Each structure stands twice: as structure tokens, then as C-alpha cells.
Amino acid sequence: MSNLDTVLARGRAAAKARMRDTVHLYSQAPDTFDRSSGNTVPGAKTTLYEGPARVKPVAQASGEDTQASEREVRLLEYEVSLPWDTPLPPGTRVLPGMRVEVTASRDARMVGLVLWVTGTQYGEQATAWRLTTEDRT
């Protein structure tokens, strides 16, 4: 193992040790309208990852107000770090629009937070796999 590989292994172990939240990364099919009940039925969810993560707000993100349907929402940016070696189902890539739900956290206020993926960062020399997300509430 080269010196670089040793340093990366230590960095990845340290990054993983800081992953104290638990998340559910998933894609969701479009909602459908049920004519018999008159209700909208959420689309099926496909789980891509469940496990440890580090969810943190992006400090410089002030949020952006935008219109969604008939209400105004504030977009707040978060970075979600997953273990560097997180496997995905074969042939699957994380794409904008997929979602990350915080299922457990030492900060109870974060549990239930649903974040929308806006981008991903890949890198052979990274210590974690980072997803750029936003809270659309």
C-alpha cells in the first residue's frame, strides 16, 4: 500500500467516524391520481442506500425563495456525506431529483427532514462521497 493509500484510508475512516446521522437515499416514481378515491397516490420508492451519513447545512447558503405551485418555498442547501465506498445497485447513478430522508440523528429536529439531490461529487482521492442537496420547505 502506498503512502497516499494509507493517508486516504485514515481520512476515510475519520470521515466515517463523523457520520452520526442515518439516512435513506431513494428515487421515487411520479405520483398518480386515483380517480375512484379522488386522491393523489405517491409513486413507489426505490431504495438506493440506507445507513450512516453526515448531514450538514452549507454555511454560506442563505437560501433562495422560489414559487412552488401556489406557495413560496425557501431552498436551503445541505451537504450529505456518505461512506466513500457506498455501493449502489448495478447500473444506478444518483441523479438530481432523488431524495435523502434523515431517519435518525442526535439532533432530533433533523429526523424526518427530506432533502432533494441537486448534484453529486465523485473522486478517487475523496474521503467521503458527497451529495449536494436542498431542503425545499
Side-chain angles (χ1 to χ4, degrees):
M1 186 182 286
S2 75
N3 188 36
L4 177 58
D5 291 334
T6 302
V7 170
L8 283 171
R10 285 188 198 137
R12 289 173 181 157
K16 193 168 187 176
R18 295 183 70 194
M19 295 180 190
R20 297 164 52 141
D21 303 311
T22 303
V23 299
H24 176 212
L25 170 64
Y26 62 93
S27 62
Q28 186 165 359
D31 296 345
T32 57
F33 181 72
D34 181 350
R35 291 184 188 274
S36 62
S37 70
N39 295 320
T40 299
V41 178
K45 294 179 181 179
T46 301
T47 297
L48 303 174
Y49 171 78
E50 284 185 287
R54 180 172 182 229
V55 180
K56 68 174 189 168
V58 176
Q60 68 271 22
S62 60
E64 173 187 336
D65 291 328
T66 189
Q67 200 70 27
S69 294
E70 295 181 15
R71 68 184 184 104
E72 193 151 306
V73 296
R74 186 161 197 71
L75 305 178
L76 298 172
E77 206 175 322
Y78 285 79
E79 180 181 83
V80 178
S81 298
L82 305 177
W84 181 82
D85 56 355
T86 298
L88 289 175
T92 303
R93 291 185 65 87
V94 174
L95 301 171
M98 291 181 173
R99 298 176 205 165
V100 176
E101 180 180 358
V102 179
T103 57
S105 176
R106 292 181 185 212
D107 182 348
R109 297 165 294 191
M110 289 184 57
V111 176
L113 179 66
V114 176
L115 303 168
W116 295 69
V117 174
T118 58
T120 62
Q121 299 173 24
Y122 302 102
E124 184 270 330
Q125 294 185 22
T127 57
W129 178 29
R130 293 178 178 86
L131 307 177
T132 306
T133 65
E134 62 188 16
D135 174 4
R136 295 183 177 178
T137 57

